[in-house]
Amino acid sequence: MSGSTPEATRGVGGSVGRISIAIIAGSILSYGVVILTGRLFTPADYAVFMTFWGLLFGLGSALSPLEQELSRQSAVARQRGGKLAADGLTTLYVGLGVAAVAAAVPLLPWVNERLFGEHYGLAVVVFAAGLGFAAQFAVRGVLVGNNEVNAYSLLLLVEAGSRPLIMVGLVLAALDGLITLAVAVAVGSFAWLVVLRPARATLDPTVPGDPAPTILRRMLLLFTSSALTASVITGYPAMVGILAPGGDQDRLGGLYAALAVSRVPLVLFSALQALAIPLVVRLSATAEGVRRLRKLLVLGTLGTVVLALLGALIGWLAGPWVVDLLFGDRYEVPGWAVAGLVWSAVLVAIVQLLAAVLVARVRPGEVLGLWAVVATASAVALLVWPGDTVLKAVVGLVAGPTLGLLVAVVLVLKTEPRDIPVMPDGGTETVPR
């Protein structure tokens, strides 16, 4: 059976390479949006726009369990030689319902005023884009679970590329207000229409799947976990605005500019999460695969901590200069703050991958517990840490992911696969628990 381990990882390098290229290109295009708007708006208006940006992509990140769960379902179906069953559609319907409820919250007047001030229309844009994101993550999950890497990479590029192109057109047409540029950002969440056909070809709704109540419970746990994840990634400015309101808006504008630079890759990082899930499914089919997976996780975690330390040092020394270069001298941020943001971003990335292992092993309760620890630690820091809002925000971003990494390592090492896919020859192999 050990010979099946290379089979499980065959083609992974090429898939990771193509998706990584798409992520890098998408990150560069997203940086273009962040930098362009930073130069168009005043620091105070930019703080409002970044609150919108963070809320929208926070909602998108919160919907990423659709991608992860449908990636898992598709990978298991493919491992068994079939197509995605009816539970794929049930998962999508649950996601659309959750998206509609969550995206409607900013429409409440008292919430809207606290987030966007007099720019009520931003909440309408968030609502429309939230529904688009739900469908988009579902399509992404089906594609990556079936190893449709080319279509998946195209989707990432179309999503990220449409935003700056439309923005530039609006600027040239002198339609560069907050609302119009926000609409340009929202258009990207409907990029799934470009690759809908290959995704539909992998679905067979006549095949029975898990009962709807089982899917509903699993997805609600994962959505709650992902909402907590989003609160410390793209939704963090909104979290700061709610838990630690006030502070110097110009200084916050500088911090959010640095935060955007450090967080843009994490917006697209869910693509690697979704790719990791089918790999874990395949490796988990054999005892040798599980041993190999453990080794990869340990080495990857240790390497990430070293990378985080190096990144924090570089951020401390060069971060303020990079922010000034990208956004102009109106935005100021201290080096220690950039160091904290870089440390946080790198640790969040590895925590996301460890959480993907738990998703592949059908452990939604553990995933929820992990991100609850991260979000709670960040929230407590915002509420009780002494000092101004900028200091509170940086401490919160450092504390949450650091504690979360420790919890994630413990959870992954103590769990074993629950569902062992059927092997290609029709047999199964029991993995020691």
Side-chain angles (χ1 to χ4, degrees):
M1 277 295 186
S2 62
S4 64
T5 301
E7 179 70 24
T9 57
R10 182 176 298 170
V12 170
S15 299
V16 171
R18 279 174 283 175
I19 291 178
S20 296
I21 291 172
I23 290 175
I24 292 171
S27 297
I28 293 172
L29 292 167
S30 297
Y31 278 132
V33 172
V34 170
I35 295 169
L36 175 63
T37 52
R39 293 208 172 253
L40 288 173
F41 299 137
T42 65
D45 283 344
Y46 187 63
V48 174
F49 181 83
M50 289 312 296
T51 299
F52 157 78
W53 174 277
L55 189 63
L56 176 59
F57 286 97
L59 177 60
S61 296
L63 292 171
S64 62
L66 273 173
E67 180 178 20
Q68 297 166 20
E69 175 62 15
L70 285 170
S71 171
R72 185 193 67 81
Q73 291 178 16
S74 299
V76 171
R78 193 166 184 260
Q79 186 90 345
R80 293 170 176 168
K83 290 188 175 183
L84 180 62
D87 47 3
L89 284 178
T90 305
T91 302
L92 171 61
Y93 296 150
V94 172
L96 287 170
V98 169
V101 173
V105 173
L107 293 171
L108 299 174
W110 70 272
V111 176
N112 187 282
E113 182 178 359
R114 191 150 191 171
L115 293 174
F116 305 130
E118 71 271 16
H119 302 286
Y120 186 85
L122 291 175
V124 179
V125 178
V126 169
F127 181 81
L131 296 179
F133 263 135
Q136 186 139 297
F137 278 109
V139 171
R140 282 169 52 163
V142 171
L143 290 175
V144 75
N146 283 280
N147 202 32
E148 295 283 350
V149 177
N150 290 335
Y152 187 86
S153 301
L154 175 64
L155 174 53
L156 294 181
L157 291 173
V158 172
E159 176 188 357
S162 62
R163 297 186 180 105
L165 289 176
I166 295 174
M167 278 189 169
V168 170
L170 290 173
V171 171
L172 292 176
L175 298 172
D176 53 356
L178 269 173
I179 301 297
T180 53
L181 293 187
V183 170
V185 172
V187 168
S189 64
F190 293 90
W192 54 272
L193 293 169
V194 176
V195 292
L196 181 59
R197 180 174 294 181
R200 289 182 62 181
T202 65
L203 174 68
D204 185 357
T206 63
V207 177
D210 291 338
T214 300
I215 295 174
L216 178 62
R217 176 183 177 277
R218 181 188 307 154
M219 293 309 299
L220 289 180
L221 286 173
L222 291 176
F223 279 132
T224 304
S225 305
S226 197
L228 295 172
T229 307
S231 70
V232 293
I233 300 181
T234 54
Y236 196 67
M239 188 176 180
V240 173
I242 292 173
L243 298 180
D248 187 329
Q249 288 299 303
D250 286 346
R251 292 190 67 213
L252 281 175
L255 177 68
Y256 291 164
L259 179 64
V261 171
S262 69
R263 286 308 198 246
V264 162
L266 294 177
V267 173
L268 298 171
F269 197 77
S270 62
L272 287 182
Q273 277 186 285
L275 182 63
I277 290 171
L279 175 61
V280 173
V281 169
R282 292 193 293 270
L283 286 175
S284 298
T286 66
E288 174 62 26
V290 170
R291 285 190 288 271
R292 184 178 181 188
L293 180 60
R294 280 204 195 101
K295 182 179 179 180
L296 289 172
L297 291 173
V298 171
L299 293 177
T301 301
L302 293 176
T304 300
V305 173
V306 173
L307 180 62
L309 289 170
L310 179 61
L313 177 61
I314 295 174
W316 191 309
L317 297 175
W321 174 80
V322 172
V323 172
D324 180 78
L325 175 67
L326 295 178
F327 296 94
D329 56 11
R330 296 178 300 168
Y331 295 86
E332 296 182 4
V333 60
W336 59 264
V338 180
L341 296 181
V342 174
W343 167 269
S344 171
V346 176
L347 260 60
V348 166
I350 189 61
V351 172
Q352 285 180 288
L353 282 179
L354 293 174
V357 175
L358 296 174
V359 172
R361 293 177 174 177
V362 199
R363 305 284 184 172
E366 282 87 342
V367 177
L368 176 59
L370 167 60
W371 289 111
V373 168
V374 176
T376 300
S378 296
V380 169
L382 286 172
L383 290 170
V384 306
W385 196 267
D388 64 4
T389 303
V390 171
L391 178 60
K392 288 173 177 284
V394 174
V395 171
L397 282 172
V398 170
T402 302
L403 183 58
L405 178 60
L406 298 175
V407 173
V409 169
V410 171
L411 290 176
V412 168
L413 291 179
K414 82 171 188 176
T415 60
E416 296 289 357
R418 172 184 295 176
D419 297 330
I420 305 301
V422 175
M423 301 302 295
D425 62 359
T428 61
E429 177 174 347
T430 303
V431 176
R433 293 185 178 273

